[in-house]
Amino acid sequence: MRVLINAFACSPYRGSEAAVGWNIPRELAHLHEVTVLCGDLRAERPNWTDLTSYGLDRVPFRVAYVAPTRFISLLERLHRLPGCWILYYAAYNLWQRRAYRKARELQAEKPFDVVHQLNMIGYREPGYLWKLAVPFVWGPVGGAPNAPGAFLRLFTGTGRLKVGLRTLLNEVQKRLCLRARRAAKRARKIWAVTAADEEMIRSVWGRACTRMLEVGTDSTLPGTVHHLAPGEVLRIVWSGVHTSRKALPVLLHALARLPKGVVHVDILGEGPETVAWQKLAHRLGVEGALAWIGKKPRNEALDKMREAHVLACPSIKEASSVVVIEALSLGLPVVCHDACGMGTLVTETCGVKIPLRDPETSIAGFADALRRLLNRPEQVAALSRGALERAKGLTWAAKAAEISRGYEESAEGLKSADNADGHGRGAGYPCNPCKSVDKIVREKSADNADGHGKGAGYPCNPCQSVDKIDREKSADDADGHGRGTGYPCNPCKSVDKMESADNTDRHG
């Protein structure tokens, strides 16, 4: 089966969205003929750099790279200015339009059987692949949950404003993002990351969906059982971009409630909240228990995780978090909130989950969880064994197999729908073939009344003069479409009608 996947972020070296965009197509390439649309917004082109560094000849799928324009890169740079973060979404949308144009070119060269919108996983930007006359699948889809308002007091002024505004926009976009609704309506299969995402898709968009975590375990990571000796310092690792929703202050406040000298925390990553968090650590008197490691290459970050006894992940708005899945693969127990994708990933056999209600509940919960591990060090080894066992059922290969079944169901569903009318969908039928045949039958009756039979090369009214047909062909060619043997109607009119109904700007 020929599959086109829109995976904007795709890298063999990085985590998060880039890991999703790399690992799922990599596993699907064992099952299908896969082409991946990927790209960048930044002028430095990190995704392209990673792929070429890895070696395009080693990549198991076809790479269709879509480069950013100078304007897109300019918007990406400007979004880093205070209050301009929304420009990122403008840049990303422009890239998606370019990706759609590339997809149309690829589809014209050799049609695909299924197209898949993979990442970024947020529902706000569904891309434009759903406008192609090909079975469309979408997901895993995330982004519906909101950060609880009670946590705003833990954020800095900028972080509080950003999270509050994002929450407001999230509720508006869920209901008013018409393009996302249209994409969902056209999708033959939708996967949702969390219970909140599933609820949005079912209740707001009125579509059925299936739950699926977007991350998978890496079977190449050598996991081991971690042990904590009695009286040994509990080594904790925290990893992520330093933004408000990652909620590191929850852990810092929890550390302040523990005796000094019993824990050590390695903090990986960097971001806009780094300085504010360092100042908070100083005010709480816990800076001596912390090591600010900074942003490191993935291999170095994994090495630092291997040195730890437990991963602390206090995020309050997350999908499933690649760092959590990596921790499980390494045999590292996880302390996290019982929310988002983490609430599904982590079980009582491999970690400790804290209810996500308010800051006091979270701070007390994290402090109690760490205190219990210190008082019962044998629990670290027990949870570590559980983490390794849990990781076995969450592999990328298993996830790809499930997605592949979705592809087959979508393609089979299209075939069944066509056959219900007695017509199979041929490669050249971009429109509904049943409507085309009905029109032909009606025109054939009118033609026969004039004494004309339907010519094999003229699926539309053959009474039209050859000059008129030539003029229509010229009009088609002016739009970049020749009249192919499989186009029973004017393909430009078909595409124009489809696109104008979906988007008056005719993106692509």
Side-chain angles (χ1 to χ4, degrees):
M1 184 178 293
R2 281 178 48 77
V3 178
L4 177 64
I5 299 177
N6 188 348
F8 164 77
C10 177
S11 169
Y13 301 125
R14 287 178 285 124
S16 192
E17 293 271 12
V20 175
W22 168 262
N23 286 291
I24 289 179
R26 175 175 61 88
E27 294 294 339
L28 284 168
H30 297 304
L31 307 171
H32 303 286
E33 182 183 342
V34 175
T35 299
V36 173
L37 284 167
C38 61
D40 290 292
L41 303 184
R42 294 168 54 188
E44 298 83 0
R45 304 186 181 185
N47 288 320
W48 180 246
T49 299
D50 286 352
L51 288 169
T52 53
S53 175
Y54 181 83
L56 293 178
D57 57 329
R58 295 174 56 204
V59 176
F61 46 80
R62 179 186 178 188
V63 175
Y65 181 77
V66 180
T69 63
R70 291 183 179 179
F71 183 63
I72 288 175
S73 295
L74 174 62
L75 290 178
E76 193 280 331
R77 287 198 303 273
L78 292 176
H79 101 276
R80 305 175 201 176
L81 298 175
C84 296
W85 54 271
I86 199 168
L87 293 179
Y88 177 88
Y89 296 101
Y92 184 46
N93 176 261
L94 290 176
W95 182 88
Q96 289 290 348
R97 297 187 192 189
R98 287 175 58 80
Y100 175 56
R101 286 196 290 270
K102 181 66 174 179
R104 290 177 61 177
E105 293 173 5
L106 295 171
Q107 173 71 2
E109 292 174 6
K110 189 176 180 181
F112 293 98
D113 299 300
V114 175
V115 293
H116 180 184
Q117 177 65 30
L118 178 57
N119 78 2
M120 307 296 230
I121 68 167
Y123 73 87
R124 295 175 182 81
E125 182 51 75
Y128 295 91
L129 294 188
W130 54 273
K131 299 175 77 170
L132 296 173
V134 184
F136 170 72
V137 301
W138 186 10
V141 178
N146 292 317
F151 284 83
L152 290 179
R153 69 178 180 82
L154 289 181
F155 303 155
T156 61
T158 302
R160 190 179 300 118
L161 176 63
K162 184 175 180 179
V163 172
L165 182 58
R166 187 187 293 272
T167 299
L168 176 62
L169 291 176
N170 201 27
E171 289 305 306
V172 173
Q173 288 174 318
K174 287 178 188 178
R175 293 160 177 80
L176 300 183
C177 187
L178 298 181
R179 190 157 50 87
R181 284 176 176 267
R182 289 169 180 157
K185 184 177 180 180
R186 292 285 297 272
R188 294 182 175 271
K189 185 76 175 181
I190 303 175
W191 294 280
V193 176
T194 68
D197 298 313
E198 181 180 10
E199 173 63 21
M200 178 196 69
I201 292 168
R202 292 183 182 276
S203 63
V204 180
W205 294 350
R207 293 304 313 275
C209 61
T210 304
R211 289 279 295 278
M212 175 189 284
L213 298 172
E214 84 279 16
V215 295
T217 53
D218 188 348
S219 59
T220 64
L221 291 180
T224 58
V225 176
H226 296 247
H227 297 271
L228 176 66
E232 183 181 1
V233 171
L234 178 66
R235 297 188 64 87
I236 303 167
V237 64
W238 183 98
S239 181
V241 180
H242 295 192
T243 57
S244 298
R245 65 186 178 89
K246 298 294 186 178
L248 179 63
V250 169
L251 178 60
L252 299 180
H253 281 278
L255 295 178
R257 300 187 182 189
L258 298 177
K260 290 186 181 298
V262 297
V263 299
H264 173 84
V265 184
D266 287 323
I267 300 175
L268 294 164
E270 57 187 26
E273 299 295 324
T274 302
V275 174
W277 288 349
Q278 289 173 339
K279 292 179 179 179
L280 175 62
H282 178 74
R283 290 198 303 272
L284 294 173
V286 298
E287 69 271 26
L290 309 177
W292 300 87
I293 306 300
K295 186 177 181 180
K296 296 293 181 182
R298 182 170 181 264
N299 288 340
E300 292 183 29
L302 291 174
D303 288 340
K304 185 59 65 174
M305 291 174 66
R306 290 186 181 96
E307 298 174 3
H309 296 113
V310 62
L311 170 76
C313 186
S315 296
I316 59 174
K317 180 174 167 50
E318 195 80 70
S320 301
S321 179
V322 170
V323 70
V324 171
I325 206 78
E326 289 174 338
L328 297 178
S329 299
L330 294 172
L332 203 59
V334 179
V335 180
C336 64
H337 281 116
D338 188 9
C340 309
M342 302 169 296
T344 302
L345 275 175
V346 179
T347 67
E348 66 278 0
T349 65
C350 62
V352 181
K353 296 189 288 187
I354 314 301
L356 182 61
R357 297 172 185 162
D358 52 67
E360 178 55 33
T361 300
S362 296
I363 293 169
F366 272 82
D368 289 344
L370 298 176
R371 192 178 293 113
R372 287 198 303 271
L373 293 177
L374 285 165
N375 294 335
R376 298 181 59 190
E378 70 278 3
Q379 281 296 104
V380 171
L383 292 173
S384 180
R385 294 187 186 94
L388 292 173
E389 192 63 30
R390 176 67 172 146
K392 293 178 182 178
L394 297 169
T395 63
W396 289 112
K399 193 172 305 298
E402 183 177 351
I403 292 174
S404 179
R405 288 192 292 272
Y407 290 167
E408 293 168 359
E409 291 169 5
S410 299
E412 185 62 29
L414 177 63
K415 182 179 178 181
S416 299
D418 293 339
N419 288 340
D421 294 291
H423 306 291
R425 184 173 295 276
Y429 281 85
C431 312
N432 187 331
C434 299
K435 292 181 180 179
S436 301
V437 173
D438 287 343
K439 182 178 180 181
I440 292 170
V441 170
R442 290 195 301 270
E443 290 181 346
K444 184 176 187 299
S445 299
D447 293 340
N448 287 339
D450 293 315
H452 302 291
K454 180 75 64 179
Y458 292 89
C460 304
N461 192 339
C463 295
Q464 294 174 321
S465 67
V466 173
D467 289 342
K468 184 176 181 181
I469 293 173
D470 285 340
R471 288 196 300 273
E472 289 182 348
K473 185 177 187 299
S474 299
D476 293 340
D477 289 340
D479 291 301
H481 305 290
R483 186 176 298 280
T485 56
Y487 283 82
C489 312
N490 186 332
C492 299
K493 292 179 181 178
S494 302
V495 175
D496 286 348
K497 183 178 181 181
M498 178 178 68
E499 293 190 359
S500 61
D502 291 335
N503 195 319
T504 56
D505 292 324
R506 288 199 65 204
H507 301 306

